[in-house]
Amino acid sequence: MAITLVNPGGLPEVGAYRQVSVATGSKLVFIAGQVAWGPDGVTVGEGDLAAQVERCYLNIGIALAEVGASFDDVAKLTFYVVDWTPDKMPLLMEGLTRAAAKLGVTPVPPATLLGVAALDVPDHLVEIEATAVID
């Protein structure tokens, strides 16, 4: 495995992710921001942040599998959430938990969450991009 996840002493431990990932692989994989489009290109979970987070994760899983990778290879995630407020965190975590259960993974690489005014399609509430490292 090319990724080792670490919570350094002296930094707060965050249950949702690790603070540091160390990559030793030789290929970088950059996955474009994934939105809540199903395979048919139709938005999944209109108005439902948890459902859209789940679909984004499933789409990332599909992209990873296409290049021979998995969530174990993800070094960093970036979340873009429309009109972010901290009270939305339970919905975000619900979607992440549902996707992780479907994928059989515990995706905890370092992550950054950014609140944004809007995304490319008005029905999209979240976009998630990933960077992975594989051997």
Side-chain angles (χ1 to χ4, degrees):
M1 188 176 331
I3 302 293
T4 303
L5 301 176
V6 180
N7 267 331
L11 291 179
E13 189 167 319
V14 180
Y17 63 90
R18 303 299 177 262
Q19 297 278 10
V20 176
S21 67
V22 179
T24 57
S26 58
K27 292 182 185 177
L28 292 175
V29 179
F30 298 95
I31 298 175
Q34 295 299 302
V35 293
W37 276 330
D40 56 2
V42 174
T43 299
V44 173
E46 189 175 331
D48 183 343
L49 180 60
Q52 290 198 17
V53 168
E54 179 181 3
R55 185 72 245 171
C56 291
Y57 262 85
L58 295 175
N59 289 348
I60 290 169
I62 291 167
L64 289 166
E66 181 66 24
V67 297
S70 73
F71 270 97
D72 289 337
D73 301 305
V74 174
K76 177 84 167 51
L77 293 167
T78 304
F79 294 76
Y80 303 91
V81 183
V82 174
D83 296 326
W84 173 256
T85 56
D87 64 313
K88 293 181 180 179
M89 185 59 85
L91 293 171
L92 190 140
M93 295 306 295
E94 178 186 333
L96 193 154
T97 300
R98 289 192 322 225
K102 284 183 179 178
L103 294 166
V105 301
T106 305
V108 292
T112 298
L113 188 153
L114 300 165
V116 297
L119 294 170
D120 65 328
V121 174
D123 291 339
H124 292 163
L125 304 175
V126 61
E127 183 169 331
I128 306 171
E129 63 184 23
T131 302
V133 180
I134 57 177
D135 292 320

